[in-house]
Amino acid sequence: MDAFLLVEPYITGIISILGIFFIEAFIVASFKLYIKQFLSQRTYRIVITLISGLIMTLFSIYFMMMSQKEDYYLIFGNLRMIIILIPIIFLNRNISLVSVILCSVFRLFYYGMTLVSLGYIAIFTSFFLLVVVIQLIVKQNQLLTFIYSLISASIFWIWIYLTNFDGYHSYYFFAVFSDYLNFVILSIIAYVSASYLYHLNNLLFQTMEESLTDELTKLRNLKDFNAKMNEGFFKAREKKEAFSLIIFDIDYFKAINDTYGHLAGDIVLKNLAKTIQEIDELKKVDVFRVGGEEFTIILSKKNGTETVGIAEKLRKKVELTNFYYENQLIHVTVSVGVTSLVKGLRSEITLNGFMELADEALYHSKHNGRNKVFSSDVLTGEFK
């Protein structure tokens, strides 16, 4: 029983820190999967930083309260340092910055402007700045940041025990050593656990990314197109927003394969993908390869006139680009079809009907000489 009482705080502390990083990994994964697509990159970073910082703050406050209990002081006091250290290494230093600021404000309100409060605020702030400086010096290397931060953190234990500003730390070597060793052991457990979760998270999203990416061109694939088209179309139709679809394919692609070989055809497809992504309006837009030589582009909040302009720019860019295979020049052109929902106008057209209009515009381009752009009016079905 005595042995259990001795190790119980360690068990509680370890379970707590593992729980924190599991929750954090779950939230980051959920946001990437379900929320990120609706936000700009900048907004997403701000939101995930604030939410993660708030989570770390809540746990830090919990550790602060638990450290007031007898036999829990060392464990939970050290865990408060660890949840500053680990997010800096694996996630974003701003998460720890948010946590340090909010915890400092909470401590001042809860305990008052006391010497002890100011002392701990100074320690946690200094530790945060120390880890950030180390991270910059070692150029973001995770392991080196961790090792040097552990070593450098010893100065805080020496200072705490020398000053005894909180009345709990009478200085003698064994006390300093055992307290610091406790921090090191818990930090190693936290680092290994966070590293494992970080690796699993990256592996998960790498696998997901690969499942939605065309292997040859590295563009998005048909699966991703269907998901985003379904979501974007119904959202735009419901909100009466502008929404456009471009469908295009390579003219006489079979002839290219027959004349130069299938390897030449593959090189043309890869170079075409790079060429499309050089167009300014398409640099931050997903382009999809949905068939052998067929591609699509979804343009949210773009009206028909704007989309036709982009499609024409795409057509000209491809026409003026030189494609080579084994020093042989291959002339490549594309035929393009466009259709758009009109902003402010309620449409009852179905998703399949909408896509068929774009497809019909593409075939109209092909039947009218190829290397052309035609749009199909969503109301009348007429070609322009």
Side-chain angles (χ1 to χ4, degrees), residues 19 85 98 206 296 348:
L85 172 63
V98 170
Q206 181 182 340
T296 58
E348 297 301 327

Side-chain angles (χ1 to χ4, degrees), residues 92-155:
N92 182 336
R93 68 180 68 124
N94 290 329
I95 292 173
S96 292
L97 176 61
V98 170
S99 173
V100 169
I101 292 173
L102 293 179
C103 281
S104 298
V105 172
F106 174 84
R107 186 172 191 103
L108 290 174
F109 273 98
Y110 191 81
Y111 292 106
M113 187 78 71
T114 64
L115 179 62
V116 174
S117 291
L118 294 175
Y120 276 115
I121 289 172
I123 289 171
F124 293 130
T125 303
S126 299
F127 181 63
F128 166 78
L129 294 173
L130 175 67
V131 177
V132 169
V133 170
I134 290 172
Q135 187 183 54
L136 293 174
I137 291 173
V138 301
K139 299 179 181 179
Q140 311 289 324
N141 184 291
Q142 293 177 340
L143 183 58
L144 290 180
T145 300
F146 177 69
I147 293 172
Y148 291 147
S149 295
L150 285 192
I151 295 171
S152 303
S154 60
I155 62 175

Side-chain angles (χ1 to χ4, degrees), residues 168-188:
Y168 287 99
H169 298 84
S170 300
Y171 182 79
Y172 57 97
F173 177 77
F174 181 75
V176 179
F177 179 77
S178 61
D179 192 356
Y180 176 66
L181 181 62
N182 169 280
F183 168 72
V184 171
I185 292 172
L186 287 175
S187 295
I188 291 172

Side-chain angles (χ1 to χ4, degrees), residues 320-375:
L320 297 175
T321 298
N322 292 326
F323 294 81
Y324 288 94
Y325 172 67
E326 294 184 346
N327 296 322
Q328 299 179 84
L329 176 63
I330 302 175
H331 184 60
V332 177
T333 61
V334 293
S335 296
V336 189
V338 174
T339 194
S340 304
L341 292 178
V342 180
K343 183 178 180 180
L345 185 65
R346 175 70 180 181
S347 175
E348 297 301 327
I349 191 169
T350 64
L351 174 59
N352 286 338
F354 184 76
M355 293 173 63
E356 284 173 6
L357 284 177
D359 214 33
E360 288 169 5
L362 166 64
Y363 282 102
H364 194 72
S365 299
K366 286 188 170 295
H367 294 152
N368 284 270
R370 302 181 189 264
N371 190 25
K372 297 182 185 298
V373 175
F374 274 91
S375 66

